[in-house]
Amino acid sequence: MSENLQREKWGSKIGFVLAAAGSAIGLGNIWKFPYVAGQNGGAAFFIIYIFCVILIGLPVIIAEIILGRTAQKNPVGAFKKLSDSKFWPWVGAMGVFAGFIILSFYSVVAGWSVGYVYESATGVFYNFNSAQSAAEHFNHLTKNVTWGIGMLAIFILMTMFFVYAGVQKGIEKGSKIMMPLLFILLIIVMIRGITLEGSDEGLAFIFHPDWSKVTPKTFLEALGQAFFSLSLGMGAMLTYGSYMSRNDNVPKSSLEIVVLDTLVAVIAGVAIFTAVFATGQNAAQGPGLIFHTLPIVFTKMPGGYFVGIIFFILLTIAALTSAISLLEVVTAYFVDEKNWSRHKAVLVFGSLAFLVGIPSVLSFNIIENYKIFGMNFFDVANYLSSNIMLPLGGLLIAIFVGNVWGIDKVLQELKQGSDKLFTNYSWIVSLWVVLIKYVSPILILFVLLQSIGVF
Ligand code: PFF
């Protein structure tokens, strides 16, 4: 097993925050959050989501990062290093597997975003005179197998390029410019959404809860979405934490990542639901939601032609910084544990992710009607990874850090780089201990068991 002598490190303190925020902020916020919220009643879902983020997401992200920073290893290696039991490395292995599966279907949607850069540049949005024609155009594109596979290939190649080159320079620098720009553009699109005639209904949908819409499934969806959006439960944050230096402040960085990620989801939610209701669309229509609505918003704003192009470029970049972290987890595992070269790992698993992504492309056309439990291949990959594997991984990580590793050791590690927190706000530390030891694992377990019908 290679030792840590030449292990890569972030170039700067904020390098980690940027890369980790880059991993967290992505299609999960802009594409998935709005459509899942739309399918689960809007505001009530949103409130449950916020509770999941505070009570589970924040404590678990701290746990994952401190695991990585202490072990300086990939998810499997980290558990091997910190425990003697044969069981825990399997938790890391499940994470690596989940990361690979997510990469495969995530890249399909990211491919749509790549395709929409071209669509917006050709001015095709201006031919849409109703939301229905925007939806028809999207459906027409996703029915085209060559388009889907071609865009998937382009996106995976871009991801492979960065991971192949070693992430730090390109991504650290790139994220610094692109992430703020994406933020500003989203705010612009949100303002246009709010000022559209008939947008109030959209605002009510996202901010006035209708509790009658809440079912047991809503809790699982919200929990899964929190894990997915924060890149948690599969070792992405652990792996990024492993490139950190010991004097970086873990709790503070974690809070920054969580706040940024949630803010982007809220802004995207407002931007999209105001547009959905103003254009008379169905909020619960599923994965095509942003591709049906945003083109209409762009055509209704001054400079919308350019805003549309830049928006899809930035969405692609946001997806790219997330996909990089997914491929990085798999790569780090093969480099650390199997002594592969980074290049070989990227070539092999990038290509495999492409192949496994193909059935997800075909789920929108040829194999659309092949369903298991009412879900096609894409839905199954999406559901199993986000709603089952990530929460399960998060549960086990919380149990390990809170109850197995030894809380004294954990706190000693955590204190490095966050002295002030420990001296001035020791109650926050105690609160975290209670959350990670009891509250987060019990809540996750409860939601998982309830979702399989135990309660
Ligand atoms: N957090 C990413 C998003 O919201 O788009 C998706 C993701 C990236 C999930 C990395 C999991 C992960 F490890």
Side-chain angles (χ1 to χ4, degrees), residues 78-115:
F79 282 111
K80 269 194 195 157
K81 191 164 175 177
L82 301 173
S83 96
D84 296 327
S85 131
K86 289 235 176 338
F87 170 72
W88 293 102
W90 281 103
V91 175
M94 181 178 77
V96 175
F97 179 68
F100 176 77
I101 297 294
I102 296 176
L103 179 63
S104 73
F105 76 81
Y106 195 84
S107 302
V108 172
V109 181
W112 298 344
S113 176
V114 173

Side-chain angles (χ1 to χ4, degrees), residues 23-29 102 106 228-231 234 236 322 325-326:
S23 167
I25 299 170
L27 297 173
N29 309 61
I102 296 176
Y106 195 84
F228 186 84
S229 189
L230 293 168
S231 305
M234 49 140 293
S322 301
S325 72
L326 290 162

Side-chain angles (χ1 to χ4, degrees), residues 370-448:
Y370 286 86
K371 299 207 167 156
I372 321 162
F373 300 120
M375 295 187 279
N376 61 30
F377 183 90
F378 175 93
D379 299 329
V380 171
N382 189 349
Y383 182 87
L384 273 187
S385 55
S386 325
N387 292 4
I388 308 295
M389 286 198 249
L390 298 187
L392 193 58
L395 168 68
L396 293 164
I397 287 169
I399 293 178
F400 183 79
V401 171
N403 303 283
V404 176
W405 186 5
I407 203 71
D408 293 340
K409 275 190 237 160
V410 176
L411 291 179
Q412 218 175 357
E413 284 296 334
L414 201 60
K415 193 162 185 257
Q416 300 281 337
S418 57
D419 261 336
K420 270 200 205 130
L421 180 75
F422 276 69
T423 37
N424 299 344
Y425 300 99
S426 60
W427 65 270
I428 296 185
V429 179
S430 314
L431 182 65
W432 177 75
V433 172
V434 174
L435 289 171
I436 201 70
K437 248 176 165 338
Y438 309 109
V439 180
S440 314
I442 291 172
L443 286 178
I444 302 172
L445 193 64
F446 185 78
V447 174
L448 280 176

Side-chain angles (χ1 to χ4, degrees), residues 8 55 59 181 183 346 369 409:
E8 290 172 279
L55 295 177
L181 208 69
F183 207 69
V346 170
N369 296 324
K409 275 190 237 160

